């Protein structure tokens, strides 16, 4: 969870697989969350929090995202995307989004902001 670079995270993952074989789902989730954290940090995202209904992304003062794309998302989908204060984006999950699909959904959203 404290990996600072994607290369070191991938090396650690390969080492775990080499020593222990197939990784259990909780460990795969930890790797996925850590990779997401590294990606988010590069984009100037301070935090990502998720509940059953919403995802909240808190941006730094100067995020490394496409602000025009963010505005377009909010304007074209106001029921799903809302600004919550000056630096928070609130996203309403599609109904019944399973927990194991949320990491992929977060990646998809971050890709839309680049």
């Amino acid at each position: 969870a404290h990996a600072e670079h994607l290369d070191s995270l991938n090396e650690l993952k390969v080492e775990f697989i080499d020593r222990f074989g197939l990784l259990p789902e909780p460990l795969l989730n930890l790797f996925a969350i850590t990779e997401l954290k590294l990606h988010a940090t590069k984009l100037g995202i301070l935090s990502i929090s998720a509940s059953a209904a919403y995802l909240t992304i808190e941006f730094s003062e100067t995020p490394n995202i496409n602000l025009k794309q963010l505005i377009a998302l909010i304007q074209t989908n106001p029921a799903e995307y809302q600004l919550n204060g000056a630096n928070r984006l609130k996203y309403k999950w599609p109904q019944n989004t399973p927990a194991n699909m949320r990491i992929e959904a977060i990646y998809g959203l971050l890709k839309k902001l680049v």
Side-chain angles (χ1 to χ4, degrees):
H2 296 289
E4 295 182 9
H5 303 285
L6 188 56
D7 290 340
S8 60
L9 183 65
N10 287 333
E11 288 174 15
L12 185 60
K13 189 175 183 180
V14 168
E15 186 175 332
F16 268 74
I17 292 169
D18 186 44
R19 287 185 184 195
F20 305 109
L22 293 177
L23 303 178
E25 188 173 339
L27 188 55
L28 289 172
N29 288 338
L30 178 61
F31 277 108
I33 290 168
T34 304
E35 187 175 332
L36 181 62
K37 177 181 152 187
L38 291 172
H39 185 63
T41 300
K42 288 180 184 178
L43 296 178
I45 294 172
L46 300 175
S47 68
I48 298 173
S49 58
S51 68
Y54 292 98
L55 168 72
T56 303
I57 297 175
E58 183 178 354
F59 298 100
S60 67
E61 298 270 334
T62 55
N64 188 20
I65 61 168
N66 184 332
L67 293 176
K68 289 181 183 179
Q69 189 65 18
L70 174 61
I71 292 167
L73 279 175
I74 295 166
Q75 288 178 340
T76 57
N77 303 297
E80 294 178 24
Y81 300 97
Q82 300 171 357
L83 281 179
N84 186 3
N87 61 345
R88 283 193 188 100
L89 176 66
K90 190 173 181 181
Y91 169 66
K92 185 175 182 181
W93 297 110
Q95 196 171 26
N96 300 321
T97 301
N100 63 341
M101 298 300 293
R102 291 183 185 160
I103 293 173
E104 291 179 36
I106 295 169
Y107 266 117
L109 176 55
L110 295 183
K111 286 180 183 179
K112 292 178 184 179
L113 297 176
V114 179

